Amino acid sequence: MELKFLGIALGKQGIVGDAIYANPSMMPFPIQRCEYLKSLSNRQIAILTACFFANFYKTVANSESQALVSNMAAAEKSFEPYSDEYMILHQETSEEMDHIWTFRSVYNMVARETRSEEPFEAPGFFLGMVGSIPQDDYNSVDTQFRLSEECSHILELLHKPEGLQILLDEMKKKGRGFRYRTQHFLIGDAMRLLPAEDVQSLGLGGLWLLTRFAANVELKQGESYLFVDPEKFNYEPLAYNINQGHLHDEARHYTTSFDIGLTLYQAARPEAQAFIRELMRMTMEDYIKGQFLVFPEMLEAYSKGCLTIPFYFCKQTLEMAMSHQEFSDKLNNIDDLFSSWAQMEWPKKLPPFDAGLLTQKRWRYISQQYERIRQAIGIEYDVASLGNLLHRYKDILKQENLTEAFILA
């Protein structure tokens, strides 16, 4: 489904009336408990939800920009040209371009109305790397790709008999930054640089698509409930239809990621399967550590210098909304808000209604989907690393229904 015309229309229309752009309970801050947030007018709530909507899909768009490169590399190195799988990945890449364009239009509108200068980070095309160019710049343009020493080292290891285990050990020893840089290289430029037979034996196409599946679980659990209970809220129609259209597209991408990703993983040589399995374990554990937290825990993590993705949305949303003229007569010190929230008394249970029920549904969805991939490729979680978050993961799986309060481990 093409979404671009909806994004352009919403971009021209601006934030209108008091229609809302997301379910308030989906926003990661205590809108029912904080006196300041409870005092907001309907118009201010509309602006707040529009900022949340724009920031949510900005993050989605930046993730989808990786798919533009990785989908094409996986298609060309793993399948015959114009085969079904090849064409599916090409079609999905076209859809990702449409999504990025759409979300950029929406973000630009909200940034314009709130006077936010926060950029919409995206591939070069969206940073203006097109159009006319001065002659001096033209003469100095050098688009030749050069490998960094780090990437050359990774490629060398991929060709050694014990190289995958050495690389895995280095990824654990050098920390999260090196691990994610290496993963990014393996599912992008490495696939483009290596011959097709190496990409297939290393299972790099499978690594990309299984990684995309894990990321899609993260996306779908949030996006599926962004406009929940439409009969109860005055949702803005264009925003609602963008959400529904994107859900429709990503449902297909989701199936592709799991089915084709698993097939490519199973076709890789045994040591490559072990390498992918370990990388997927660490990636999924990172997602669990970020998502199975309740808000006061995210707030505490932020006070210690750790920014979870939901709390990133919280901060970005507040910063944008409070710069809107509609908030000019309101408190605009976010640090004061965070301090007041940190002093609140928070419940130890998730109630089976409103935000508590939404959290239960989201956690249940994540754990069910992660169990699919965990069982399919034989992952065992690191119990010591996940601690009480693994108990929450298992407890929500065991809960027969969501009509009772969920006691936090």
Side-chain angles (χ1 to χ4, degrees), residues 32-303:
Q32 298 300 324
R33 297 170 57 81
C34 167
E35 292 302 320
Y36 167 69
L37 295 176
K38 285 164 64 176
S39 73
L40 298 180
S41 67
N42 290 340
R43 172 65 176 154
Q44 287 165 332
I45 290 290
I47 293 167
L48 201 63
T49 58
C51 293
F52 178 69
F53 181 84
N55 279 295
F56 180 92
Y57 279 113
K58 168 185 169 178
T59 302
V60 173
N62 280 275
S63 298
E64 289 184 330
S65 68
Q66 180 63 48
L68 304 182
V69 175
S70 298
N71 273 4
M72 302 299 278
E76 290 170 9
K77 295 297 175 68
S78 304
F79 303 107
E80 290 293 325
Y82 309 111
S83 62
D84 288 346
E85 293 87 352
Y86 178 95
M87 293 308 298
I88 286 170
L89 289 174
H90 274 63
Q91 173 61 29
E92 291 184 356
T93 305
S94 298
E95 291 171 347
E96 303 292 24
M97 286 293 289
D98 176 62
H99 300 164
I100 293 168
W101 182 286
T102 303
F103 302 148
R104 178 174 178 263
S105 298
V106 174
Y107 186 83
N108 284 348
M109 177 274 288
V110 176
R112 181 182 70 239
E113 296 214 359
T114 59
R115 294 175 292 183
S116 170
E117 297 181 355
E118 189 71 21
F120 181 87
E121 295 176 2
F125 178 84
F126 295 107
L127 291 178
M129 303 295 287
V130 293
S132 61
I133 183 169
Q135 186 64 43
D136 289 344
D137 287 348
Y138 178 80
N139 292 336
S140 64
V141 164
D142 180 0
T143 58
Q144 185 175 352
F145 175 74
R146 294 179 182 82
L147 281 175
S148 67
E149 287 186 14
E150 191 170 84
C151 292
S152 297
H153 170 66
I154 294 168
L155 286 178
E156 287 175 11
L157 288 178
L158 295 180
H159 289 102
K160 289 184 176 179
E162 303 295 328
L164 287 176
Q165 186 58 52
I166 295 171
L167 181 57
L168 196 56
D169 292 341
E170 287 189 5
M171 293 166 80
K172 292 179 179 178
K173 182 179 178 182
K174 294 182 179 178
R176 184 177 168 128
F178 178 74
R179 170 156 63 93
Y180 275 97
R181 278 203 308 280
T182 301
Q183 282 185 255
H184 181 257
F185 176 64
L186 292 176
I187 62 175
D189 288 328
M191 276 201 289
R192 297 195 298 175
L193 291 166
L194 292 168
E197 55 269 27
D198 287 353
V199 171
Q200 291 167 22
S201 68
L202 289 165
L204 295 183
L207 174 61
W208 155 240
L209 289 169
L210 292 177
T211 301
R212 195 178 80 164
F213 175 81
N216 253 324
V217 171
E218 162 94 353
L219 165 64
K220 283 178 69 68
Q221 59 82 23
E223 188 176 35
S224 297
Y225 299 109
L226 206 59
F227 288 87
V228 70
D229 297 330
E231 69 282 1
K232 298 181 182 177
F233 297 95
N234 179 28
Y235 288 133
E236 202 292 318
L238 290 171
Y240 178 82
N241 281 306
I242 287 173
N243 168 266
Q244 294 299 298
H246 190 255
L247 268 175
H248 180 84
D249 282 352
E250 291 299 328
R252 286 183 287 103
H253 300 189
Y254 191 65
T255 304
T256 302
S257 297
F258 189 82
D259 291 347
I260 300 181
L262 188 58
T263 299
L264 294 176
Y265 162 81
Q266 291 168 337
R269 62 179 198 257
E271 58 270 33
Q273 289 186 13
F275 178 77
I276 293 170
R277 200 158 50 238
E278 186 65 357
L279 277 186
M280 290 306 303
R281 179 189 68 79
M282 290 188 283
T283 302
M284 289 161 60
E285 286 182 358
D286 283 346
Y287 276 124
I288 291 172
K289 288 175 184 174
Q291 284 294 349
F292 280 75
L293 297 172
V294 289
F295 188 75
E297 293 168 334
M298 297 178 197
L299 193 61
E300 183 180 0
Y302 175 72
S303 70

